[in-house]
Amino acid sequence: MPYEWLPPSKNYEPRWPGRLVEKIDLENGLVLEIWDYSRRLAGDRWLVGMLAQIVVEAPPEAFSRRELYEVFCDEEEGKVYYRYRKERTFVDERECEALFEQLKSRFLEAALNYLSHPSFKERLIAAEVALYERRKAWEEQVKQKDEEIERLEEEWKDRPI
């Protein structure tokens, strides 16, 4: 899986620094952060990277079980994220700033109305919590199957085949 740059947090430190370029207060009360995580690749060639992010606290009532919410808080700090990432590689050093501004302006032109919709927060929470709960259910199924395999291996280890 390729490396995806994320902003620093309490539990995460990125491989290379980025900078918060802009915070935009949306009409629905959310805050859109625009991050520049561009870096030099080789010589005068750069990776130009833009990350747009909205951070939302997930309430306990969004989860089907209180235990899942507590695990979610431990693992994800109680937050769900909208993230949009756009990158260009091997960009001439002289073109980096202009390309970043172009990526940012095209994103804002296309997505600002969608992100500002009054129900965006509720839909984001519902979608991300559902994904998280499905992932946890899958992890539990895998754990149970592994335990069953271990039990069967132990039970059959001394039997002739």
Side-chain angles (χ1 to χ4, degrees):
M1 184 162 99
Y3 177 74
E4 290 187 338
W5 187 90
L6 296 173
S9 68
K10 187 173 80 174
N11 297 331
Y12 178 78
E13 190 61 39
R15 291 185 185 172
W16 66 87
R19 63 185 174 94
L20 180 61
V21 174
E22 187 175 357
K23 280 188 172 187
I24 302 170
D25 294 323
L26 302 175
E27 296 170 11
N28 57 8
L30 300 175
V31 176
L32 173 65
E33 300 174 347
I34 307 290
W35 289 82
D36 179 357
Y37 61 93
S38 302
R39 69 179 178 95
R40 181 182 308 276
L41 292 175
D44 69 341
R45 298 297 156 180
W46 283 66
L47 173 140
V48 175
M50 181 204 74
L51 174 75
Q53 169 177 276
I54 295 175
V55 182
V56 178
E57 295 279 337
E61 53 273 4
F63 291 81
S64 61
R65 297 189 337 255
R66 180 72 183 181
E67 306 84 50
L68 273 175
Y69 175 70
E70 291 167 2
V71 171
F72 176 78
C73 286
D74 289 340
E75 292 179 354
E76 306 293 331
E77 300 176 15
K79 299 174 183 155
V80 295
Y81 299 90
Y82 164 84
R83 288 186 172 132
Y84 175 84
R85 177 180 281 104
K86 199 69 169 176
E87 294 180 348
R88 295 288 186 268
T89 54
F90 292 100
V91 176
D92 188 292
E93 187 172 14
R94 296 175 300 236
E95 299 170 5
C96 289
E97 202 60 42
L99 180 58
F100 180 83
E101 288 303 319
Q102 182 184 38
L103 293 174
K104 183 179 98 172
S105 65
R106 285 185 177 173
F107 167 76
L108 292 174
E109 182 181 313
L112 210 50
N113 285 339
Y114 168 70
L115 300 173
S116 297
H117 193 276
S119 66
F120 177 80
K121 179 180 178 179
E122 291 75 27
R123 292 184 303 191
L124 176 66
I125 291 170
E128 292 298 316
V129 166
L131 280 173
Y132 181 81
E133 288 187 347
R134 281 200 306 264
R135 180 168 53 94
K136 283 302 181 187
W138 175 79
E139 288 173 359
E140 186 60 34
Q141 287 177 339
V142 169
K143 181 181 170 189
Q144 288 173 357
K145 286 189 185 278
D146 289 345
E147 289 170 356
E148 179 67 12
I149 289 170
E150 287 178 22
R151 187 189 66 74
L152 290 172
E153 284 177 351
E154 184 64 31
E155 183 179 319
W156 286 82
K157 75 178 180 184
D158 295 330
R159 295 186 185 184
I161 297 178

